[in-house]
Amino acid sequence: MELTVSTQQGKLPVTVVQPHGDVDASNYTELVDKIEELHKDGAKDFLIDLSDVPFMSSAGLVALHSIAVMLSGEKPIDPKSGFGATKAMDRTRQRGMQKHIKLLDPQQYVAETFDKAGFTQFFEIFTDLQKALASF
């Protein structure tokens, strides 16, 4: 998986991170590590552009959850903890929509995965870049 990073201006600067390729157990920590690095460098709001991600495994879901927890100021559970990370997603989902991370244009399979996992109650998902940027 490759990652492309850019900054777009909405009401405020939004860091757009675009993974290219599948997000799965072989690479999900790259996404978490990159956003953690950008956050430490001062980025606050993130839009994850999923238009070039044909497949996302449960590890990818754990990565997005870990990022959301980190951006809310909490310490995320170690994503390598397996079932513990999955259970933490259930608890966090009850807090509602995330303010500092939103998702853009997931492909059909990935969108279906989000729906089945309940991520549509946790993340705002957009199909239009300008609307996504304006939502921050």
Side-chain angles (χ1 to χ4, degrees), residues 16-27:
V16 179
V17 178
Q18 184 178 27
H20 301 278
D22 295 345
V23 181
D24 56 27
S26 71
N27 59 18

Side-chain angles (χ1 to χ4, degrees), residues 46-60:
F46 292 86
L47 181 63
I48 311 298
D49 181 346
L50 299 168
S51 61
D52 198 25
V53 176
F55 173 79
M56 181 175 285
S57 73
S58 59

Side-chain angles (χ1 to χ4, degrees), residues 18 24 26 28 77 85 108 110 124 134:
Q18 184 178 27
D24 56 27
S26 71
Y28 72 103
I77 192 164
Q108 182 177 347
V110 175
E124 284 187 80

